[in-house]
């Protein structure tokens, strides 16, 4: 049986003060920090719990594996990106302005955590069926977002209609690859803004 002082220390420790949801967030933040430090492939559960300031036991109470934690981190990051892009677009602005606002918001999110952005693009595809499911969820979320942004009275009046699913897949895949290669080559992804805006306008622009 622990002594009074031991019990007090345990009760006061982060492991005993934090709620399960807080532990999960700390572990996700720990995974992000581990990726920034050494990349996903070279990171271990020990690295994650070190950054999260928790234990391996706590990690496995929340995630069955490093890969599961990584996928959960990306699910949150992707949802956050969609929300930020949606919030950045003025639905009453001219359609060309809306395109620029959306692209600039996307690039700003990608720039805010380049190691995670690159890991999403390069590491995720090799992680099997769970990763493939996440990729499809991400794609669906963006297809829905673009449809929501383009299916408005203002854009319809300008001759802009929601693009086909096939066009959206081509556009999104191209933008992701452009971001990845720019980061890998040591470039500034802010420099791709104009070409990304041009490509998106070409896909979304009014039909003759």
């Amino acid at each position: 049986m622990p002594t009074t002082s031991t019990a007090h220390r345990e009760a006061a420790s982060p492991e005993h003060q934090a709620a399960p949801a807080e532990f999960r967030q700390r572990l996700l933040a720990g995974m992000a920090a581990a990726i920034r430090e050494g990349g996903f492939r070279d990171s271990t559960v020990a690295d994650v719990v070190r950054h999260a300031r928790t234990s391996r036991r706590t990690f496995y109470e929340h995630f069955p594996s490093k890969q599961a934690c990584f996928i959960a981190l990306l699910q949150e990051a992707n949802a956050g990106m969609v929300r930020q892009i949606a919030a950045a677009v003025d639905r009453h602005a001219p359609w060309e302005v809306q395109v620029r606002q959306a692209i600039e918001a996307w690039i700003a999110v990608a720039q805010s955590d380049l190691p995670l952005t690159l890991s999403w693009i390069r590491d995720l595809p090799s992680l099997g069926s769970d990763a493939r499911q996440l990729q499809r969820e991400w794609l669906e979320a963006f297809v829905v977002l673009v449809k929501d942004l383009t299916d408005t009275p203002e854009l319809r009046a300008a001759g802009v209609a929601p693009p086909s699913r096939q066009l959206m897949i081509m556009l999104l895949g191209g933008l992701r690859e452009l971001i990845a290669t720019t980061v890998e080559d040591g470039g500034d992804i802010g420099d791709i803004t104009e070409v990304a805006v041009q490509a998106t306008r070409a896909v979304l622009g009014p039909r003759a």
Side-chain angles (χ1 to χ4, degrees):
M1 181 175 180
T3 65
T4 301
S5 60
T6 301
H8 177 73
R9 285 196 302 270
E10 290 180 351
S13 70
E15 291 287 302
H16 287 75
Q17 289 180 329
E22 182 183 340
F23 276 130
R24 187 177 190 278
Q25 289 305 310
R26 281 168 51 182
L27 289 164
L28 293 178
M31 171 59 78
I35 291 170
R36 296 181 199 114
E37 182 179 68
F40 171 73
R41 292 186 181 281
D42 293 331
S43 297
T44 65
V45 171
D47 294 323
V48 175
V49 299
R50 170 170 54 86
H51 286 292
R53 295 178 290 109
T54 186
S55 66
R56 293 175 67 91
R57 176 180 176 181
T58 298
F59 179 92
Y60 287 111
E61 287 174 352
H62 290 79
F63 301 105
S65 65
K66 182 184 80 166
Q67 177 172 318
C69 184
F70 179 54
I71 289 176
L73 171 65
L74 293 181
Q75 285 175 322
E76 287 209 352
N78 293 342
M81 175 180 281
V82 169
R83 288 194 300 269
Q84 290 182 59
I85 293 172
V89 176
D90 177 359
R91 310 298 179 91
H92 301 294
W95 76 270
E96 300 93 339
V97 173
Q98 293 190 43
V99 167
R100 179 171 295 277
Q101 290 171 337
I103 293 297
E104 289 179 347
W106 185 351
I107 290 176
V109 175
Q111 281 180 315
S112 70
D113 201 335
L114 287 176
L116 187 61
T117 296
L118 191 57
S119 188
W120 198 104
I121 295 171
R122 293 304 189 216
D123 294 325
L124 185 67
S126 66
L127 299 184
S129 59
D130 288 345
R132 180 58 183 155
Q133 179 61 32
L134 176 59
Q135 288 179 307
R136 293 188 68 87
E137 289 173 2
W138 175 87
L139 182 62
E140 289 303 320
F142 269 87
V143 168
V144 170
L145 173 64
V146 174
K147 184 178 187 304
D148 180 58
L149 291 175
T150 55
D151 193 13
T152 65
E154 289 82 2
L155 268 67
R156 286 197 295 272
V160 176
S164 69
R165 179 182 177 81
Q166 290 84 356
L167 279 175
M168 281 307 310
I169 291 172
M170 292 178 63
L171 177 63
L172 293 169
L175 291 175
R176 282 200 308 164
E177 186 63 21
L178 182 57
I179 289 173
T181 54
T182 301
V183 173
E184 289 175 333
D185 292 343
D188 180 353
I189 60 174
D191 293 340
I192 72 171
T193 300
E194 293 307 319
V195 69
V197 168
Q198 291 172 18
T200 305
R201 286 177 176 174
V203 170
L204 300 181
R207 303 292 184 262

